[in-house]
């Protein structure tokens, strides 16, 4: 196996990680990323296999789990009940209960509300220009997830701040200061959710939190800790990927000077999938081996960790012709932007719906839309998203 080196916080990498991915993929379907001290899967085929092979999973085998320092407990006590971090019967039970509440019918019913929200946000834009990431791309998903859960929209800024602090725990730039901020956010987020869940138990509403409280399977319901974690997970994941996806999609369409007929009803789905493939919002996801298993000539032992490089897999020339080209007319083939297998993102249908509505409305309402300077990506790896999106119209 070849070794490869690249700092994930290097400014050039942050702005454009794809040359590194090309180099890594050319080195083999598995490479050793020295800066992470981690084996990484680079090809579409191997990434998809690792997503779907039950011999790998998200949950660290208990005998290999590191002891969690007390100072980090507020964050990891929440993570301990996250279906994103669990496998086996616990994951299946949590996911099943969540899907009983987070139904496709409920998501589809939000279409008119999302459309009205997009128009309202555009009505409120400054006359000549703005940071569209802040004024539109961030507001659409955070308001939608607040409404879906039944959380007051007046809390949106607090929820964003808490969420951004918590997800920074997964970023390569993580420091002691970031950890301390994440602990404060975790405590504040948990305390808010406890109060709100208690309120919904006594005053049920037509919202996802009430549905999660009432969801039951085989006589089992979500515990209070599971409810807290699930709501936090849905709030965090429910806006994080969509903010990045929407901002990147706007940037890509404007930079590529893409004809806007790609946003027509007949073409919009293909445009969204191509944007997610071309520049996805998450670039790395990890798995643990649960038993000895050989992959691409390498033998993983139980407890070994492997990183799935989603950004590399989505530009694998073994899967797509001219993968470095943004082509909304490309025949749709399944990409890995939202994962695959048992951990496929439960929020993917909502994210796609938001993109399907928010993009055409934006370009229709702002026909002179253009970039005001070159957008920059934030130092948030292994996430991938813009730090701003200045535009004029």
């Amino acid at each position: 196996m070849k070794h490869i080196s690249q700092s994930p916080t290097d400014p050039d990498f942050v702005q454009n990680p794809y040359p590194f991915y090309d180099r890594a993929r050319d080195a083999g379907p598995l490479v050793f990323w020295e800066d992470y001290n981690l084996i990484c899967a680079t090809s579409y085929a191997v990434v998809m296999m690792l997503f779907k092979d039950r011999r790998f999973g998200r949950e660290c085998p208990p005998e290999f789990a590191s002891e969690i320092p007390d100072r980090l407990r507020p964050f990891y006590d929440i993570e301990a009940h996250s279906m994103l971090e669990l496998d086996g019967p616990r994951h299946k039970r949590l996911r099943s209960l969540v899907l009983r509440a987070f139904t496709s019918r409920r998501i589809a019913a939000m279409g008119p509300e999302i459309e009205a929200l997009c128009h309202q946000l555009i009505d409120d834009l400054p006359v000549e220009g703005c940071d569209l990431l802040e004024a539109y791309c961030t507001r659409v998903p955070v308001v939608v997830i607040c409404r879906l859960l039944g959380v007051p929209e007046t809390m949106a800024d607090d929820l964003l701040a808490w969420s951004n602090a918590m997800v920074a725990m997964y970023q390569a730039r993580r420091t002691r200061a970031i950890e301390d901020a994440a602990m404060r956010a975790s405590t504040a987020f948990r305390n808010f959710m406890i109060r709100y869940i208690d309120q919904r138990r006594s005053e049920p509403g037509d919202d996802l939190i009430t549905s999660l409280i009432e969801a039951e399977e085989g006589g089992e319901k979500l515990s209070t800790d599971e409810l807290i974690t699930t709501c936090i997970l849905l709030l965090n994941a429910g806006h994080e990927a969509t903010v990045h996806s929407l901002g990147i999609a706007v940037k890509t369409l404007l930079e590529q000077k893409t004809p806007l007929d790609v946003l027509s009803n007949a073409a919009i789905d293909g445009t969204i999938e191509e944007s997610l493939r071309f520049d996805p919002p998450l670039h790395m996801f990890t798995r643990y081996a649960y038993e000895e298993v050989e992959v691409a000539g390498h033998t993983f032992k139980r407890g070994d960790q492997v990183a799935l490089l989603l950004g590399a897999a989505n530009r694998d020339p073994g899967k797509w012709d001219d993968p470095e080209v943004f082509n909304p007319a490309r025949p749709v083939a399944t990409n890995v932007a939202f994962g695959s297998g048992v951990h496929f993102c439960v929020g993917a249908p909502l994210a796609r719906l938001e993109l399907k509505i928010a993009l055409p409305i934006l370009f229709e309402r702002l026909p002179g839309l253009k970039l005001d300077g070159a957008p920059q990506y934030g130092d948030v790896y292994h996430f991938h998203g813009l730090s701003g999106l200045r535009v004029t119209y």
Side-chain angles (χ1 to χ4, degrees), residues 65-78 169 174-176 179-180 182-183 186-187:
S66 302
E67 187 173 346
I68 297 169
D70 288 342
R71 67 181 182 84
L72 301 181
R73 279 288 175 192
F75 176 82
Y76 286 105
D77 282 350
I78 291 172
M169 289 287 284
R174 176 172 162 176
T175 61
R176 176 61 184 262
E179 291 175 348
D180 291 344
M183 298 314 109
S186 299
T187 300

Side-chain angles (χ1 to χ4, degrees), residues 49-358:
M49 185 278 288
L50 290 168
F51 267 132
K52 294 181 176 182
D53 194 321
R54 298 293 186 89
R55 295 173 296 180
F56 292 86
R58 280 290 294 168
E59 195 169 0
C60 181
E63 69 270 28
F64 296 101
S66 302
E67 187 173 346
I68 297 169
D70 288 342
R71 67 181 182 84
L72 301 181
R73 279 288 175 192
F75 176 82
Y76 286 105
D77 282 350
I78 291 172
E79 293 290 281
H81 302 284
S82 172
M83 63 180 174
L84 186 66
E85 305 298 335
L86 299 173
D87 279 299
R90 293 177 69 198
H91 171 265
K92 183 178 180 181
R93 171 181 162 274
L94 280 171
R95 189 179 178 95
S96 178
L97 286 167
V98 169
L99 289 176
R100 285 179 178 271
F102 200 53
T103 63
S104 56
R105 179 181 297 179
R106 182 189 290 271
I107 293 168
M110 293 201 72
E113 194 170 352
I114 297 172
E115 185 174 344
L117 170 64
C118 291
H119 282 293
Q120 182 60 57
L121 289 170
I122 292 172
D123 288 342
D124 294 340
L125 292 179
V127 175
E128 294 182 348
C130 68
D131 180 353
L132 202 64
L133 189 73
E134 179 181 348
Y136 189 72
C137 301
T138 296
R139 304 313 296 181
V140 171
V142 74
V143 171
V144 167
I145 201 68
C146 281
R147 291 179 180 178
L148 186 64
L149 282 166
V151 174
E153 290 173 41
T154 54
M155 290 295 300
D157 289 340
D158 289 321
L159 297 173
L160 277 172
W162 295 336
S163 177
N164 289 336
M166 290 181 71
V167 299
M169 289 287 284
Y170 292 107
Q171 295 170 10
R173 65 187 182 95
R174 176 172 162 176
T175 61
R176 176 61 184 262
I178 284 174
E179 291 175 348
D180 291 344
M183 298 314 109
R184 293 191 294 271
S186 299
T187 300
F189 213 154
R190 177 182 174 83
N191 290 340
F192 168 75
M193 289 312 310
I194 288 173
R195 292 194 302 272
Y196 207 75
I197 289 168
D198 286 344
Q199 180 182 332
R200 276 291 173 263
R201 280 188 167 130
S202 59
E203 301 173 16
D206 183 21
D207 53 63
L208 188 58
I209 290 181
T210 300
S211 297
L212 287 169
I213 291 169
E214 295 173 348
E216 184 174 348
E217 183 178 16
E220 287 197 48
K221 291 190 174 187
L222 293 167
S223 69
T224 297
D225 282 337
E226 289 169 342
L227 278 167
I228 292 166
T229 296
T230 299
C231 290
I232 289 175
L233 173 63
L234 291 173
L235 280 162
N236 288 355
H239 85 272
E240 186 76 21
T242 313
V243 171
H244 293 336
S245 298
L246 184 52
I248 290 171
V250 174
K251 167 189 176 289
T252 302
L253 289 166
L254 291 175
E255 282 186 338
Q256 302 286 331
K257 296 180 171 52
T258 308
L260 295 184
D261 58 0
V262 301
L263 299 179
S264 67
N265 288 337
I268 184 65
D269 290 335
T271 300
I272 290 169
E273 293 311 303
E274 176 67 352
S275 180
L276 290 169
R277 180 205 70 81
F278 182 73
D279 206 9
L282 177 68
H283 278 209
M284 178 194 284
F285 218 51
T286 55
R287 289 288 187 271
Y288 290 95
Y290 289 158
E291 60 185 75
E292 187 170 302
V293 54
E294 184 176 319
V295 177
H298 176 78
T299 300
F300 289 93
K301 294 182 171 56
R302 176 174 169 82
D304 286 351
Q305 195 173 20
V306 57
L308 286 60
L309 298 185
L310 312 187
N314 270 0
R315 292 206 186 183
D316 186 346
K319 178 67 176 178
W320 288 279
D321 294 333
D322 300 319
E324 73 286 351
V325 174
F326 177 70
N327 176 15
R330 185 188 301 275
V332 173
T334 302
N335 63 72
V336 296
F338 289 122
S340 189
V342 296
H343 279 283
F344 179 77
C345 177
V346 296
L350 178 60
R352 286 186 166 109
L353 179 64
E354 290 172 354
L355 290 165
K356 187 173 184 176
I357 294 171

